[in-house]
Amino acid sequence: MIEVYGTSMGLTLEARRFLKQMEQLKRLALNAEILAVRVTDGGEVFQTLAREIGRMASHASQVIRALHGHSVEVAAKAVRSAALARACEKYQLAVARGTTGATLSLVEARRDAVGSALIADIRVIAEALQKADTRLLDLARLNVELPMVATLLNIEANRDASSDPALTSAAKSLVALKTELATLLERIQAKSHQTLCLLAGIA
Amino acid sequence: MRKKTLHQAAGLTWTMFARDPQRSSQVIDTNEYLIIAPDNVVMMDPGGTEIFPPVVAAVSEVIAVDRVKTFVCSHQDPDIMSSLPLWMGLCPGARVLMPWLWTGFVAHFGHEYAARFVPVPDEGTTIPLGGGLKDLVLVPAHYCHSSGNFSLYDPNARILFTGDIGAALLPEGSEELVVADFASHVKYMEGFHRRWMPSNEAKNQWVARVRKLDVKTLCPQHGAVMEGPDVARFLDWLEGLQVGGALEAGRAAGASRR
Ligand SMILES: [Fe+2]
Ligand SMILES: [Fe+2]
């Protein structure tokens, strides 16, 4: 459970980093879109592509924000579950060590109550991770689409030599950022997958 | 876990629990004490989480644990009270007396039970036992180990629970629950008091305070009980001891630098 907490917290950190990058991506896309208006030839294509990047960035932010929420929930429950599991273990040990008389049923009742709370928590964690898993599919798709559109945009910006240098540099920044984003996305997916595997091991 | 009746008369019983044979060597050995009186059942320093299972099992042989009405924590150390949340889960009606200094700290072990903490003021308090018995008295022992620290005196049984004062680190496997030879017991107490006791002034105040009480038995939280003439021997020995050992080391280091 402590490991689940660790990977979940790791995920929230990565998600926060990703959201920051997404803000930058959206800014760059908007900037490119505005610049594209000035271009007479092929400006519409560029504008559409830039708008598309902006849209994808917003969508990715939404997905990551939801993932972040799930991770925080998982982390909190994981910490509580660890404490509950420990208490449950101690009550069980008290039974094993020969608790007798009226105390025995007290200890057993307490052990079962704590055990039920523990099971409920693990169920919540499993559900949160399930939701996170669907979000991950969304992310995987974005991870393919985003670099594709960014590359197209770059090609568009460099199509003719007379291109606005501001536009070319905007496209370049977008391409540079896309590589960083892909790495981050992969890290997020790995962390999320790790959490799922850990939980599968516990359940 | 071993169990020893220290006193039994007029509806009042003192039981000592000690030396769990299955205790991990990583965990310091502790003594827990249970006082059963007509209107109150008091558990003194319920102990650490690690020792909780054998203590519950041993106490269950004496009394149903939900009859414990009062837990007393002499101070805030984990070996004293990290098991509290587990006990609170078994004893829904119990309250916990502890130095006011530590309530906010101890709540870190489980804040959901903090409403049942009773902060004891520096001057101490009394705990009624019923059945015409005299009240237990929490005697100030501040800075004699922890900065918020109490001993517990029972004027009926003439027993003084001293917490970490009088504590001894006995060799592994030692079966002695009551000190047989004070002179040879001193070596197990000396290091503990020199290092875990910070203030000579506080220590001497405590010795003077205890000398005014009629004490027949001293019950520490680690080591062995001291009885009869060993009570006075212990007080004399403690009075003559220089404590605050780490300060001495610091002073020596300062002198050698000069
Ligand atoms: Fe202590
Ligand atoms: Fe202690």
Side-chain angles (χ1 to χ4, degrees), chain B residues 133-150:
Chain B
L133 292 164
K134 287 181 198 148
D135 291 352
L136 298 173
V137 185
L138 279 173
V139 180
H142 312 304
Y143 304 109
C144 291
H145 176 64
S146 163
S147 44
N149 195 38
F150 286 105

Side-chain angles (χ1 to χ4, degrees), chain B residues 66 79 107 122 139 234:
Chain B
D66 59 346
D79 66 320
D122 281 345
V139 180
F234 172 74

Side-chain angles (χ1 to χ4, degrees), chain B residues 28-30 45 74-75 77 79-80 145 163-164 167 192 221-222:
Chain B
I28 189 170
D29 186 45
T30 55
D45 285 359
S74 60
H75 61 287
D77 278 340
D79 66 320
I80 300 286
H145 176 64
D164 277 336
F192 191 96
Q221 194 235 352
H222 309 279

Side-chain angles (χ1 to χ4, degrees), chain A residues 86-87 89-91 93-94 97-104 106-107 110, chain B residues 20 22 49-50 52-54 56-57 60 63-66 86 89-90 113:
Chain A
R86 211 167 143 65
E89 179 211 4
K90 294 298 175 206
Y91 286 130
L93 273 172
R97 290 297 298 271
T99 297
T100 67
T103 306
L104 179 60
L106 263 173
V107 172
R110 188 69 198 144
Chain B
D20 173 33
Q22 290 177 39
T49 311
E50 289 303 316
F52 173 80
V56 169
S60 78
I63 198 170
V65 296
D66 59 346
L86 295 167
L90 292 179
Y113 301 110

Side-chain angles (χ1 to χ4, degrees), chain A:
Chain A
M1 271 307 161
I2 291 303
E3 280 168 285
V4 173
Y5 171 78
T7 52
S8 300
M9 282 318 280
L11 187 60
T12 63
L13 283 178
E14 298 284 6
R16 245 174 262 159
R17 221 168 281 154
F18 183 84
L19 283 173
K20 229 200 242 129
Q21 295 278 45
M22 272 301 149
E23 285 314 307
Q24 203 188 337
L25 180 65
K26 272 190 270 182
R27 258 200 317 276
L28 282 172
L30 191 66
N31 189 30
E33 203 185 320
I34 293 163
L35 286 171
V37 180
R38 295 205 305 225
V39 181
T40 40
D41 186 28
E44 294 110 75
V45 183
F46 195 92
Q47 207 177 347
T48 314
L49 286 172
R51 199 175 294 144
E52 183 59 13
I53 289 191
R55 193 195 58 77
M56 278 197 270
S58 296
H59 182 50
S61 296
Q62 264 172 28
V63 172
I64 295 286
R65 215 166 274 137
L67 207 57
H68 181 270
H70 295 322
S71 304
V72 169
E73 192 183 3
V74 167
K77 290 282 180 196
V79 168
R80 210 179 85 119
S81 312
L84 288 175
R86 211 167 143 65
C88 207
E89 179 211 4
K90 294 298 175 206
Y91 286 130
Q92 177 51 35
L93 273 172
V95 172
R97 290 297 298 271
T99 297
T100 67
T103 306
L104 179 60
S105 42
L106 263 173
V107 172
E108 282 175 333
R110 188 69 198 144
R111 174 201 62 196
D112 295 346
V114 175
S116 305
L118 175 63
I119 290 167
D121 267 9
I122 290 183
R123 213 164 274 154
V124 171
I125 292 176
E127 275 163 26
L129 286 176
Q130 212 97 56
K131 276 184 237 157
D133 210 22
T134 357
R135 305 277 183 202
L136 275 184
L137 285 177
D138 275 4
L139 266 191
R141 227 180 19 242
L142 276 171
N143 202 11
V144 176
E145 285 172 4
L146 200 67
M148 237 160 58
V149 180
T151 309
L152 279 176
L153 190 94
N154 197 28
I155 293 167
E156 198 61 33
N158 291 305
R159 215 157 42 97
D160 64 81
S162 66
S163 260
D164 188 338
L167 202 58
T168 330
S169 95
K172 222 171 258 151
S173 327
L174 275 170
V175 172
L177 196 60
K178 126 204 141 174
T179 324
E180 260 176 69
L181 284 175
T183 323
L184 254 179
L185 270 177
E186 261 156 42
R187 287 226 300 264
I188 287 174
Q189 278 172 312
K191 279 254 158 43
S192 200
H193 185 71
Q194 209 181 338
T195 319
L196 272 172
C197 287
L198 277 172
L199 200 81
I202 292 164

